[in-house]
Amino acid sequence: MDEIKQQVVKENKMGTRPMFPLIVSMALPTMFSMLVQALYNVVDSYFVAQVSEDSLTAVSLVFPIQTLLIAFAVGTGVGINSLVARRLGEKRQEEADNAATHGLLLGVCNWILFALVGLFGSQPFFAAFTSDAALIKMGVDYMSIVCIFSFGVFVEINIEKMLQATGNMIYPMIFQLIGAVVNIILDPVFIFGYLGVPAMGVAGAAIATVIGQILSMITALIVLFTQEHDVKVQLRGFRFHWQTVKNIYVVGAPSIVMQAIGSVMTMGMNAILITFGNTAVAFFGVYFKLQSFVFMPVFGLTQGVMPIMGYNFGARNKHRLLSALRICCIIAIVIMAAGLVVFQLFPAQLLSIFNASSNMLAVGVPALRTISLCFIPAALGIAFSTLFQAVGSGISSLIVSLLRQLILLLPCAYFLSQISLDAVWYSFPLAEVFSFVASMLMAYRIYRLQIRNMPDNPSVPQQS
C-alpha cells in the first residue's frame, strides 16, 4: 500500500492533470515558439526577396535540402520523445535516461552526414536544376553554409524533444526563440551589410541562420547539464546500445522518411513548376513560408500533445489517451479553419509581403485559394499521425505521408500540369482528402489492436 501511495505521489502531471488545461499548458509554449519560427521563415525570405527574385528562387531551390535536414533532426527527435515518454509512463527511469543520452549522440552523427552533403553535394544539386551561373553560385553558397554548420540544429532539437517528453515545454520554447530572434536580427545585418559587416546577400541569410542555431544549441546544453530534469543524460560510463537506437528509430525512421518525403515532393513539384518559369518556383517557395503560419502552430500543438499520448499509452490509460486525441483534433481544426479564411480572403496581401511582381500575383492569388482547401483535412491527418507516433506505430504515419506527398500528390500534379498551371494546385486538396480517409482506417486498426482493451482509468500505471 505504501508503494502504491508513493507511486501516485510521484505521478507525472501527464497522467493526472485535467486534460484540456494540461494540453494548453504544454502546447501553448511550443505553439508560440513555432509561430516565431514561422515569422523567422517569412522574414528570411522577405529580406532575400529584396535582393532579387532570382535570390528568392535560389533559396526556394535549396528548400528541399533544408527540409531533408530538418527531417533527420526532427524525426530523430520524435523517436527520442516517443521512447522517453513511454518509458517514463512505464516507470522505467533508467531506460528513459539511456534513450536521452543516445539521442544527444545521434544528433552529432546526423550533423556529420549533412556536413558531407554540404561539402560535396551542393554544386551537383544545383547543376541538376539550372545552368544559370549566378543562380548556381547563390544556391551553392546558401546550401553549403546551412549544411556544414548544421550541428547547432541537430543537437538543439534532440535536447528540445527529450525535455518535451518529460512535460517541460518552457525550456524548449526558450531554445527556439533564441535561435529565431537572433536569426531575424542578424538577417539584414549580413544580407545588406550593416554595422561594418560586408553585404553578403543570400550567403548572409545562411550565416544568420546557423549563428542562431548555434546559440540556441549552446543555451540548450547549458540548461541540460546545469538544471534538474526528469531524465538525465549520463555521458560518464556511457555504453552504446543498438537496441536503444533501434527503439528510437522504430518511430524516428518513419518520421524522418515522412518528412523527407516532403523534400522529395518539393523537388518533384519544382521540376514540374519550372516548366512554367522561375516565377512559379519562386511562388511555391513563398507558399511554404506563408503556410508555415498555419501549420507551425498545429505542429506546436502536436509537440505538446504527443508526450501526453505517449505517456498515457505507456501507462495503459485509454480514457486519457483518447481524450488527448479528441482535444488535439478540435484545436487543430480551429487553427486550420482560421488559416483557410485568411488565405481565401487576403491572398494578394499575403504575397505582397515578398515584394511580389505582377507575374507572381497572377500565379499566386488563385494558387493560394486553391491549395488552402487542403487545410481542414490536413489538420485531422496531422493529429492522427501524432497518435500513430505516440503509440510507437511510426509506419502508419509513413504510409499516410507517402499517400499525401508522393503516391497521390506528384502524379496528380503532373497529370494536371498537362491542363494548366492553375490546375496543378488542385492536387493538394485531392491528396489530403484521400490520405485522410486512409489515416482514419489505420487509426481504427490501431484502436482495435492496441487501445480498445486498455483499462479506462487504471489506478496504477502498468508496463506495456
Side-chain angles (χ1 to χ4, degrees), residues 248-455:
I248 288 172
Y249 280 109
V250 162
V251 173
S255 181
I256 289 171
V257 175
M258 186 171 59
Q259 295 181 69
I261 290 167
S263 177
V264 176
M265 180 274 290
T266 304
M267 285 188 282
M269 286 297 296
N270 283 341
I272 293 169
L273 294 173
I274 205 162
T275 62
F276 295 97
N278 286 351
T279 299
V281 174
F283 160 74
F284 194 55
V286 165
Y287 160 70
F288 270 100
K289 306 297 183 181
L290 291 172
Q291 62 93 34
S292 66
F293 273 107
V294 184
F295 280 79
M296 285 294 199
V298 176
F299 291 141
L301 168 69
T302 60
Q303 284 185 23
V305 173
M306 190 170 76
I308 299 172
M309 290 182 179
Y311 183 94
N312 285 286
F313 179 74
R316 316 306 295 163
N317 193 321
K318 178 172 71 175
H319 173 74
R320 289 182 64 80
L321 174 62
L322 296 180
S323 177
L325 174 64
R326 182 176 65 254
I327 294 171
C328 179
C329 287
I330 293 170
I331 297 174
I333 289 172
V334 170
I335 295 170
M336 288 294 199
L340 173 62
V341 170
V342 172
F343 272 57
Q344 292 295 319
L345 296 180
F346 308 108
Q349 291 85 344
L350 292 172
L351 292 170
S352 67
I353 296 171
F354 300 91
N355 199 27
S357 63
S358 58
N359 286 339
M360 184 176 288
L361 288 172
V363 170
V365 168
L368 288 183
R369 286 179 173 147
T370 301
I371 299 174
S372 60
L373 296 175
C374 78
F375 286 178
I376 301 297
L380 294 170
I382 293 168
F384 279 102
S385 287
T386 304
L387 172 67
F388 300 155
Q389 293 169 341
V391 303
S393 182
I395 294 296
S396 298
S397 290
L398 172 59
I399 292 171
V400 172
S401 289
L402 282 168
L403 290 172
R404 289 176 59 218
Q405 301 184 75
L406 287 184
I407 297 172
L408 293 174
L409 180 62
L410 284 182
C412 189
Y414 178 76
F415 173 77
L416 292 173
S417 71
Q418 309 306 305
I419 302 172
S420 69
L421 177 59
D422 286 343
V424 170
W425 312 120
Y426 282 97
S427 58
F428 285 87
L430 288 172
E432 288 291 357
V433 168
F434 284 108
S435 62
F436 167 65
V437 173
S439 69
M440 289 292 292
L441 295 173
M442 292 179 188
Y444 175 72
R445 180 177 180 274
I446 286 174
Y447 174 80
R448 183 169 53 84
L449 296 177
Q450 296 181 258
I451 299 173
R452 182 167 59 186
N453 294 326
M454 286 183 182

Side-chain angles (χ1 to χ4, degrees), residues 100-328:
T101 306
H102 277 77
L104 191 64
L105 298 176
L106 288 173
V108 176
C109 295
N110 286 333
W111 161 62
I112 293 171
L113 173 64
F114 275 88
L116 294 173
V117 171
L119 282 169
F120 303 110
S122 300
Q123 184 76 30
F125 175 80
F126 265 85
F129 282 93
T130 180
S131 58
D132 186 324
L135 196 61
I136 290 174
K137 183 182 186 310
M138 286 188 290
V140 168
D141 288 346
Y142 189 90
M143 179 175 161
S144 58
I145 291 169
V146 297
C147 288
I148 293 170
F149 298 96
S150 59
F151 56 87
V153 69
F154 280 115
V155 174
E156 183 275 324
I157 284 179
N158 283 4
I159 296 173
E160 173 189 317
K161 297 301 182 187
M162 68 178 70
L163 294 184
Q164 286 176 348
T166 70
N168 187 331
M169 297 296 170
I170 300 301
Y171 279 132
M173 178 187 72
I174 292 171
F175 305 156
Q176 291 187 32
L177 285 176
I178 287 173
V181 170
V182 168
N183 194 350
I184 290 170
I185 293 171
L186 293 183
D187 258 340
V189 174
F190 285 97
I191 292 173
F192 303 117
Y194 297 139
L195 305 176
V197 175
M200 290 181 276
V202 171
I207 292 171
T209 296
V210 298
I211 289 175
Q213 292 169 348
I214 292 168
L215 289 177
S216 179
M217 177 199 71
I218 292 171
T219 306
L221 286 169
I222 291 172
V223 168
L224 179 66
F225 289 108
T226 63
Q227 303 297 313
E228 289 293 323
H229 308 290
D230 287 349
V231 290
K232 292 181 173 61
V233 171
Q234 303 282 1
L235 294 176
R236 181 177 298 175
F238 171 77
R239 296 185 64 181
F240 191 83
H241 296 289
W242 281 109
Q243 185 60 45
T244 302
V245 175
K246 178 182 176 181
N247 289 338
I248 288 172
Y249 280 109
V250 162
V251 173
S255 181
I256 289 171
V257 175
M258 186 171 59
Q259 295 181 69
I261 290 167
S263 177
V264 176
M265 180 274 290
T266 304
M267 285 188 282
M269 286 297 296
N270 283 341
I272 293 169
L273 294 173
I274 205 162
T275 62
F276 295 97
N278 286 351
T279 299
V281 174
F283 160 74
F284 194 55
V286 165
Y287 160 70
F288 270 100
K289 306 297 183 181
L290 291 172
Q291 62 93 34
S292 66
F293 273 107
V294 184
F295 280 79
M296 285 294 199
V298 176
F299 291 141
L301 168 69
T302 60
Q303 284 185 23
V305 173
M306 190 170 76
I308 299 172
M309 290 182 179
Y311 183 94
N312 285 286
F313 179 74
R316 316 306 295 163
N317 193 321
K318 178 172 71 175
H319 173 74
R320 289 182 64 80
L321 174 62
L322 296 180
S323 177
L325 174 64
R326 182 176 65 254
I327 294 171
C328 179

Side-chain angles (χ1 to χ4, degrees), residues 78-93:
V78 165
I80 296 163
N81 183 299
S82 178
L83 183 59
V84 170
R86 282 182 282 132
R87 292 299 179 257
L88 288 175
E90 295 161 353
K91 307 303 178 188
R92 294 154 72 173
Q93 183 67 49

